[in-house]
Amino acid sequence: VRNLLSLSWPAVVTQSLNMLGPTIDMIWVGKLGAAAIAGVGVSGMVVLLMNSARMGLATGTRAMIARFVGTDDAEGANHIAQQTIVISSAFSIVFAATGIFFAEPILVLFGLDADVVAEGAAYMRIMFIGSSAMSFRVMTEGIMQSSGDTVTPMRIAIGYRLLHAVLVPFLIFGWWIFPRLGVSGAALTNVISQGLGLAVGLWFLFTGRTRLRLTLRNFHFDPNIIWRMVKIGIPASVSGVERTFTNLALMWIIAPFGTLAIAGHTVHQRVETVLMMPCMAIGMASGVLAGQNLGAGQPERAERTGWIAVSFAEAIMVTGSLAILVWAESIIGIFSTDPGVVKIGSDFLRISTAGYLVFGFLLVLMQSLNGVGDTLPPMLITMIGMWVLQLPLAFFLSRFTDTGVYGVRWAIVVGIALRALAYGTYFRMGRWKRKEV
């Protein structure tokens, strides 16, 4: 419990701060109107789609570094970190090209109004072109966390997120000496702040002010190590892409119900993300400890860590659900004062609490399995739960029953419950304890 808590609480802060970026953006962008909210919301999910693929490959890095640290092999862990630089560089090129050439065409596919496409494309293009800073910042954070240092990434996150929170309204609204950039100002602030986080993170790694010191000594391109990381990471990438594609498909199902429904769904997603982040961080810490314990030959300790982490996450989700049931309108009101958005967003939130009651199982056990490198089962559970069950049910309920757009939220509740049951069953079986990386 002590090890889990010492890793978890800084990771909770870090993950929450990382996800506060889109939330802070939405608070200020919400003052620009429903079109800006919808545009940034859809664009944000496309950005998340690409980020999901990158974060999935980072799972291979985390799993392998945790194992090397567990066997007390610092040189091997450093070699893994060196190869991560190669993967991050490749992703940065793909991100930038996507933003330059495909921003508008991607948004047009959703059948959005012209003003929504214009707002969303401006946001997406800058986020993608500036993805190098974000990609390498995530790399430095992952290296430190998987080595067992979650405090340093937390300190870095506090610094760059404070800069973001202060700077974003100046660039959106043109306060003081800054130009009025609208939604582009929100995207540019993200790039600037994450660039600062990258610079500080690299300084900590290369100067040895964290648990694993990164050096470029004897650096060479190692296709074997990269393939091992990619082999672990591809199922996690597919899982992340599946989840994000599901959200995009849900947005496609919701779009015919109008801009207010899209805006309400977007704001709801931001609130849900804030609630999920502590649980994701606890799961990440559980995965790091599980990987290190497997490396040290302690599989039973790895399993105990997972179940303790689940209990912490469930406490957070139940408490958050109670707060939502009481204050849903006030929570949505933080992001938008439009009565239509507040009404539909608060209804979405209250329906979602039915799924939140078991969400802790899903979030923690998925992260724990990814942390030990057993990434194929989460991919299959995600695929079946979301694409075979959740999406068809969302389409059916919203189109052929009286629930209308609210049927989408009820379908998501069913999907969460079934996936949580699947994760709990598989984790209990214990096959992941024999996973080699």
Side-chain angles (χ1 to χ4, degrees):
V1 173
R2 183 176 62 251
N3 288 339
L4 179 64
L5 289 176
S6 65
L7 278 177
S8 291
W9 77 262
V12 167
V13 175
T14 302
Q15 293 293 91
S16 300
L17 288 171
N18 284 342
M19 296 310 299
L20 269 181
T23 304
I24 293 170
D25 291 348
M26 192 57 66
I27 290 173
W28 293 107
V29 166
K31 302 181 186 303
L32 300 176
I37 294 176
V40 172
V42 178
S43 295
M45 285 194 295
V46 176
V47 173
L48 181 60
L49 173 65
M50 299 291 286
N51 282 338
S52 298
R54 180 186 61 196
M55 291 298 294
L57 289 181
T59 301
T61 301
R62 290 173 178 268
M64 294 184 71
I65 289 179
R67 293 290 184 100
F68 276 109
V69 170
T71 57
D72 201 25
D73 185 355
E75 184 176 347
N78 181 72
H79 184 58
I80 301 299
Q82 290 176 346
Q83 303 310 305
T84 306
I85 296 174
V86 178
I87 296 176
S88 296
S89 300
F91 257 95
S92 297
I93 295 171
V94 173
F95 267 55
T98 302
I100 292 171
F101 297 110
F102 300 110
E104 283 92 351
I106 289 172
L107 293 173
V108 169
L109 292 175
F110 291 91
L112 303 171
D113 294 338
D115 56 344
V116 177
V117 172
E119 297 281 14
Y123 183 84
M124 187 193 301
R125 185 173 291 108
I126 294 175
M127 291 290 284
F128 275 180
I129 293 174
S131 63
S132 295
M134 289 176 273
S135 181
F136 283 97
R137 185 201 60 75
V138 170
M139 178 198 75
T140 61
E141 181 179 284
I143 291 171
M144 287 185 276
Q145 289 176 337
S146 55
S147 70
D149 179 8
T150 56
V151 174
T152 301
M154 178 190 70
R155 292 172 176 167
I156 295 172
I158 291 172
Y160 80 76
R161 194 54 74 203
L162 280 175
L163 172 64
H164 179 196
V166 171
L167 183 60
V168 65
F170 286 84
L171 289 180
I172 290 178
F173 302 112
W175 292 355
W176 195 36
I177 61 173
F178 295 93
R180 180 183 174 90
L181 299 177
V183 296
S184 297
L188 185 59
T189 304
N190 271 285
V191 175
I192 293 172
S193 60
Q194 300 227 27
L196 173 66
L198 165 63
V200 176
L202 289 175
W203 180 74
F204 271 96
L205 280 172
F206 280 103
T207 58
R209 287 172 170 81
T210 182
R211 185 169 182 180
L212 177 65
R213 181 169 186 169
L214 180 62
T215 73
L216 297 180
R217 185 177 63 251
N218 299 322
F219 173 78
H220 62 278
F221 178 69
D222 191 336
N224 178 56
I225 289 294
I226 289 177
W227 168 241
R228 287 167 62 185
M229 288 192 289
V230 169
K231 187 168 64 173
I232 296 170
I234 283 178
S237 291
V238 173
S239 295
V241 169
E242 285 171 348
R243 288 191 297 271
T244 307
F245 260 125
T246 300
N247 288 331
L248 291 172
L250 290 172
M251 187 67 80
W252 176 79
I253 294 173
I254 291 172
F257 292 94
T259 298
L260 285 179
I262 296 174
H265 176 73
T266 298
V267 174
H268 165 276
Q269 292 294 90
R270 292 291 186 262
V271 176
E272 183 172 278
T273 299
V274 172
L275 187 59
M276 287 170 53
M277 277 307 100
C279 300
M280 295 288 285
I282 291 171
M284 183 277 297
S286 173
V288 169
L289 284 175
Q292 292 183 1
N293 277 315
L294 290 185
Q298 299 285 344
E300 299 309 315
R301 286 188 65 189
E303 182 176 4
R304 285 200 305 273
T305 299
W307 291 120
I308 293 170
V310 165
S311 67
F312 290 158
E314 279 296 299
I316 293 171
M317 296 305 297
V318 170
T319 303
S321 296
L322 292 174
I324 287 171
L325 289 173
V326 176
W327 296 300
E329 287 82 5
S330 299
I331 294 171
I332 297 295
I334 296 172
F335 300 90
S336 175
T337 57
D338 186 307
V341 176
V342 172
K343 172 64 170 63
I344 197 168
S346 58
D347 288 344
F348 282 168
L349 273 179
R350 287 197 170 97
I351 293 171
S352 296
T353 57
Y356 293 162
L357 296 178
V358 293
F359 216 3
F361 282 88
L362 188 160
L363 296 172
V364 168
L365 297 182
M366 175 185 68
Q367 291 287 87
S368 297
L369 292 172
N370 285 336
V372 301
D374 194 10
T375 53
L376 184 59
M379 183 192 75
L380 296 176
I381 291 172
T382 300
M383 181 183 300
I384 295 171
M386 287 188 159
W387 286 91
V388 177
L389 299 174
Q390 182 175 298
L391 274 179
L393 183 60
F395 184 82
F396 174 79
L397 291 178
S398 64
R399 295 296 193 274
F400 303 107
T401 71
D402 294 335
T403 58
V405 70
Y406 297 110
V408 175
R409 300 312 315 176
W410 284 114
I412 293 172
V413 168
V414 173
I416 289 173
L418 293 176
R419 284 153 56 211
L421 176 63
Y423 276 116
T425 302
Y426 181 78
F427 194 80
R428 190 77 174 180
M429 290 169 58
R431 293 180 58 186
W432 54 273
K433 297 176 187 176
R434 300 185 291 275
K435 178 67 178 179
E436 295 183 358
V437 299

